[in-house]
Amino acid sequence: MAKLNWGMIGGGEGSQIGPAHRLSAGLDGLFSFVAGALDHNPEAGRRYAQELGVAADRAYGDWREMLQGENAREDRVDLVTVATPNSTHFEITKAFLEAGYHVLCEKPMTMTVEEGEDIVRIAQKSGKICAVNYGYTGYSLVRHMRAMIARGDLGRIRLVVTEFAHGHHADAADADNPRVRWRYDPAQAGVSAQFADCGIHALHMASFVTGQEVTKLSADCASLIESRVLEDDAMVNFRMDAGTVGRLWTSSVAIGRQHGLSIQVFGETGGLKWMQEQPNQLYYMPLNGRLQTIERGEENLSPEADRATRVTIGHAEGMPLAFANIYTDLAEVIGAKKEGRSPDPAANLYPKSEDGLRSMAAVAAVAQSGKEDGLWVDARPPMFR
């Protein structure tokens, strides 16, 4: 398959997420980084893009200039990654989808459910891919977890428990730090802070591994640093469409927790546990059996796990490799579209606009439930009810 052309919006110098995307997109030699509008400061964006090897005529000052410039080219980008502030995701993603580009958008995909439904409809109408970067689903053993559950190794799933709790915003003295403050400002973050930032990763992971969707939820939200308008801690109970019960905790004030994403799934005949900070091991307990440790890279794993395994057994697997699996999925599906063939079925695991929409519906439901003392709320987007 010929290399695909890739462009990036946002993720400029000093960005937290930009380097991870550039490393991930380039890891397998499937994409060439050929265009970018990397900074809100046009000149800084142009300069940094050229430092990264982008030609001067494709180092753009902003996303509108990039859209106009790429539209005029025969070798325009095949995939655009949107890694800008949350409030800009909808406008940029919509514009590029409507112009016929495939898009990978950072989460959250939009700021509202209505915007999310618009994106789903546009993607469906255009036939273009709109993926959302729930990148942790790219881990090999997360995909093996999904495969085990799908083939019935755990029987009917009764309970899923998932967390994404860290302590990096626990210092009240950081209240005016601009890198922290915007996350708790409704004008910039929307109706939710910690759940919209981290909790939706945990909720999407629950749906991804179980193959079920969340139907309703009840939330207890708290601003434990009192100056914050939006929550920095939330406990969410949820129900899924095949009857599974869910428990989710997310926090940004859990001192001593670092990354904090983990998931446990309990079925009639077994249980599984995986933690992002120790991604090489998946723990499996069959009913009335002994605890087993499944190692990434060992023999006789699922095709989904094998496809997502990159380094030999015993070596550490990191977040950029998980993100790279999302890019590999997208390269396979985009390449198949261009070549008129069917893609590898295992490549269809990338998170889609429908997943981004469901996340926004859950964010809105958590915000509503939190304000109403844990009232159970329908967590489905209106278009999926």
Side-chain angles (χ1 to χ4, degrees):
M1 184 175 72
K3 266 193 176 185
L4 299 170
N5 288 332
W6 176 61
M8 189 173 195
I9 302 168
E13 192 168 15
S15 164
Q16 180 182 7
I17 202 67
H21 277 284
R22 288 188 287 273
L23 176 62
S24 302
L27 190 64
D28 295 298
L30 300 174
F31 290 97
S32 295
F33 182 29
V34 299
L38 304 184
D39 200 289
H40 69 278
N41 180 311
E43 292 310 313
R46 291 189 182 99
R47 175 188 54 77
Y48 190 53
Q50 291 177 70
E51 288 179 6
L52 295 173
V54 174
D57 64 335
R58 300 180 85 172
Y60 300 104
D62 59 44
W63 69 265
R64 291 181 178 84
E65 181 182 309
M66 178 170 164
L67 181 58
Q68 181 179 7
E70 291 302 300
N71 281 343
R73 304 183 66 98
E74 292 186 2
D75 61 344
R76 70 185 206 167
V77 293
D78 296 292
L79 175 69
V80 176
T81 292
V82 179
T84 54
N86 296 355
S87 61
T88 66
H89 289 178
F90 170 68
E91 182 181 22
I92 299 172
T93 298
K94 179 176 184 288
F96 276 85
L97 283 174
E98 289 180 333
Y101 295 85
H102 301 294
V103 177
L104 171 60
C105 183
E106 261 301 329
K107 42 66 57 180
M109 183 177 74
T110 60
M111 295 288 283
T112 69
V113 176
E114 293 77 15
E115 290 175 346
E117 292 191 334
D118 281 350
I119 292 297
V120 169
R121 291 189 184 99
I122 292 166
Q124 291 173 345
K125 182 178 179 180
S126 68
K128 298 301 177 182
I129 292 168
C130 180
V132 185
N133 191 40
Y134 294 112
Y136 305 112
T137 60
Y139 277 107
S140 173
L141 288 181
V142 170
R143 295 186 169 195
H144 186 61
M145 194 178 196
R146 175 188 171 104
M148 289 181 68
I149 292 168
R151 71 192 184 197
D153 291 5
L154 274 63
R156 183 179 65 84
I157 303 304
R158 293 168 169 165
L159 175 67
V160 57
V161 179
T162 185
E163 298 182 356
F164 199 155
H166 65 82
H168 301 301
H169 299 165
D171 189 348
D174 272 343
D176 290 326
N177 180 340
R179 293 180 66 88
V180 174
R181 184 181 61 227
W182 75 267
R183 298 177 183 273
Y184 303 92
D185 176 5
Q188 299 182 73
V191 297
S192 171
Q194 179 59 18
F195 184 80
D197 187 28
C198 295
I200 57 174
H201 275 297
L203 195 68
H204 177 262
M205 185 75 79
S207 289
F208 181 81
V209 301
T210 64
Q212 299 180 41
E213 300 300 340
V214 176
T215 57
K216 62 180 181 178
L217 60 80
S218 168
D220 179 16
C221 300
S223 298
L224 299 177
I225 293 181
E226 295 178 356
S227 63
R228 290 173 176 162
V229 177
L230 298 176
E231 88 287 348
D232 50 24
D233 187 277
M235 183 68 75
V236 181
N237 293 312
F238 59 94
R239 300 291 187 270
M240 308 187 84
D241 56 13
T244 295
V245 171
R247 316 291 190 203
L248 184 156
W249 173 48
T250 186
S251 183
S252 63
V253 295
I255 297 174
R257 297 287 291 263
Q258 294 301 324
H259 187 269
L261 176 60
S262 66
I263 185 165
Q264 299 177 79
V265 180
F266 305 100
E268 292 176 320
T269 60
L272 290 167
K273 180 181 180 180
W274 180 86
M275 298 168 287
Q276 198 271 158
E277 291 178 58
Q278 290 85 43
N280 277 7
Q281 288 81 39
L282 175 63
Y283 300 99
Y284 172 46
M285 173 71 87
L287 181 67
N288 299 322
R290 299 180 65 181
L291 181 65
Q292 302 174 24
T293 302
I294 299 170
E295 292 281 348
R296 183 202 51 77
E298 67 185 19
E299 295 182 356
N300 300 316
L301 295 185
S302 60
E304 294 90 341
D306 291 341
R307 187 176 187 274
T309 294
R310 296 175 170 278
V311 293
T312 54
I313 190 169
H315 295 278
E317 179 182 50
M319 179 266 281
L321 297 183
F323 280 26
N325 285 331
I326 304 296
Y327 277 98
T328 301
D329 291 344
L330 291 171
E332 168 64 12
V333 177
I334 294 170
K337 284 178 176 287
K338 294 183 73 170
E339 296 165 10
R341 59 177 175 84
S342 297
D344 182 340
N348 196 39
L349 297 182
Y350 65 90
K352 301 167 180 65
S353 59
E354 291 84 354
D355 299 303
L357 169 58
R358 290 188 178 97
S359 291
M360 289 317 302
V363 167
V366 165
Q368 179 186 348
S369 178
K371 291 178 180 177
E372 300 187 35
D373 293 327
L375 177 74
W376 282 90
V377 175
D378 195 325
R380 299 169 297 173
M383 71 183 299
F384 293 159
R385 293 179 187 175

